[in-house]
Amino acid sequence: KMQVSDFITEVGDMLQEDFTYAPLWTKAELIKYLKVVLREFSFRTMLYDKDSIRLVNATTGEADMPSDFITAYYARFHNAMVDIVQLPELEYASPTWMLNTTGTSPQAATVFGSGDNAVMRFVPVPSVVSGAFASNIIYPLTLADAGGVVWTVSTFNGALETTVGGASGLSIVLAGPTTYWDLGVSVAGVLTTTASASTAGQTVYALDTGTNAVVYSLRVSDTGVLNTQSLSYGITVGLFVDDTLQNFFAGDNSTNADYGVLVDLYATGVSTTPTSVGRASRPTGDLIYSRTSDHSAHVVYKARIPDISTINDELYVCSAMIPFLKYGVLALALSKEGDGQDLKRAAVFRSAFMGGCDSLKRFFGRR
């Protein structure tokens, strides 16, 4: 990577511009040119790969693509691969796709629009989708037993537990895949489920008292068996430094709550223990898993190189590719109308930029 200020200084030296007295090119102009060149470089080389978990609309089967999206080349739904096809080919995957007919699982997907406005549509529309944190959330959860004693429900390392005390008891209905269950508690504090006549369930979250602010959702099977699902897979709540947890939260149940902000993540390996491993979309930085991929889309795509805004930003580009970016900026600068215009030199730098992009694309086998 390279700091934008250093890049602009080097381009200024090549233009013999000192930016002091009546400059022909200001630093602000060169930054504007660099932003344009970065986008064109991304499209011409297709070198930048990313992936992202996307929520799918339960009615249309559509998922918004990330803001840096160029084109998708691999997609999954609920951890199963989905074919990416052209729009006319959707008719073969699902003849009634335009009617938003729902199915058990999508068979194909296509992309509408481009860039910031791109949308991926899955067909047929999946029967079950993963939602964002829902409305009508019950937290904390309190239940009253037959004797009127109120119990508070929480989790400890993912296991449900009840403790005496709390506000008035609530009436809770949990939704299974196809059934509904009334949640209750016995006088001994044991949670119970009873088949319910209701057709609407509530969303119930429980803070875990043993794993530092991990949040669990209460789930129930079609046979009334309770279980929990972590909603914090991939959310970094702290870092272990020399086997000591430095926690990012001050409002949880830990006694060593520190303050902190995670600004980058380095992928160092793979583990089956998600509570102690960060998930990244590339070797450095860019967290992607804020939720699990259950009943949601996982899209691998060609992306734009991270944009820059000010002279204090960083260029996250391999140092070997910096010269090609300079050629692109120099071509735009020398094409500007005014005393510094030199169209012949601008054409030479433009050819060098485009030739470099094509060479990089062929070298890395991108298409």
Side-chain angles (χ1 to χ4, degrees), residues 171-183:
S171 296
I172 301 297
V173 178
L174 296 178
T178 61
T179 58
Y180 295 88
W181 298 84
D182 293 320
L183 182 64

Side-chain angles (χ1 to χ4, degrees), residues 20-198:
T20 304
Y21 303 104
L24 297 176
W25 301 277
T26 66
K27 291 184 178 181
E29 284 180 304
L30 296 182
I31 290 175
K32 179 181 68 175
Y33 296 151
L34 176 57
K35 294 180 69 173
V36 173
V37 169
L38 277 175
R39 291 207 170 195
E40 185 176 358
F41 185 82
S42 300
F43 279 89
R44 288 189 176 275
T45 62
M46 293 290 187
L47 290 179
Y48 194 51
D49 299 303
K50 288 185 67 177
D51 64 342
S52 181
I53 301 295
R54 316 303 298 177
L55 298 178
V56 178
N57 187 292
T59 302
T60 64
E62 295 177 355
D64 292 334
M65 292 296 98
S67 59
D68 58 356
F69 177 85
I70 295 179
T71 183
Y73 62 90
Y74 182 78
R76 297 190 301 171
F77 183 86
H78 195 49
N79 300 312
M81 190 181 76
V82 175
D83 289 333
I84 300 177
V85 302
Q86 298 297 318
L87 179 59
E89 296 172 334
L90 289 182
E91 186 69 21
Y92 297 98
S94 178
T96 57
W97 68 270
M98 286 190 293
L99 301 177
N100 292 325
T101 303
T102 58
T104 302
S105 182
Q107 301 175 26
T110 193
V111 176
F112 293 79
S114 61
D116 296 351
N117 298 317
V119 173
M120 178 174 285
R121 171 170 285 187
F122 292 84
V123 298
V125 178
S127 301
V128 180
V129 299
S130 174
F133 284 102
S135 58
N136 191 26
I137 294 173
I138 305 299
Y139 173 82
L141 172 59
T142 54
L143 300 169
D145 62 24
V149 176
V150 175
W151 298 78
T152 297
V153 181
S154 58
T155 61
F156 183 80
N157 294 327
L160 288 167
E161 64 176 8
T162 57
T163 54
V164 175
S168 59
L170 303 174
S171 296
I172 301 297
V173 178
L174 296 178
T178 61
T179 58
Y180 295 88
W181 298 84
D182 293 320
L183 182 64
V185 62
S186 72
V187 292
V190 178
L191 294 174
T192 62
T193 56
T194 306
S196 176
S198 175

Side-chain angles (χ1 to χ4, degrees), residues 324-339:
F324 301 113
L325 298 179
K326 291 180 181 178
Y327 299 153
V329 173
L330 288 168
L332 291 176
L334 293 170
S335 298
K336 173 190 171 184
E337 291 186 4
D339 294 337

Side-chain angles (χ1 to χ4, degrees), residues 308-361:
I308 55 102
S309 300
T310 71
I311 202 166
N312 296 316
D313 289 338
E314 296 278 353
L315 275 172
Y316 288 97
V317 180
C318 176
S319 58
M321 301 175 187
I322 294 294
F324 301 113
L325 298 179
K326 291 180 181 178
Y327 299 153
V329 173
L330 288 168
L332 291 176
L334 293 170
S335 298
K336 173 190 171 184
E337 291 186 4
D339 294 337
Q341 188 180 65
D342 189 333
L343 296 181
K344 290 185 177 180
R345 290 179 64 199
V348 171
F349 283 122
R350 179 64 182 173
S351 296
F353 169 72
M354 295 180 65
C357 290
D358 292 340
S359 297
L360 288 171
K361 189 174 182 179

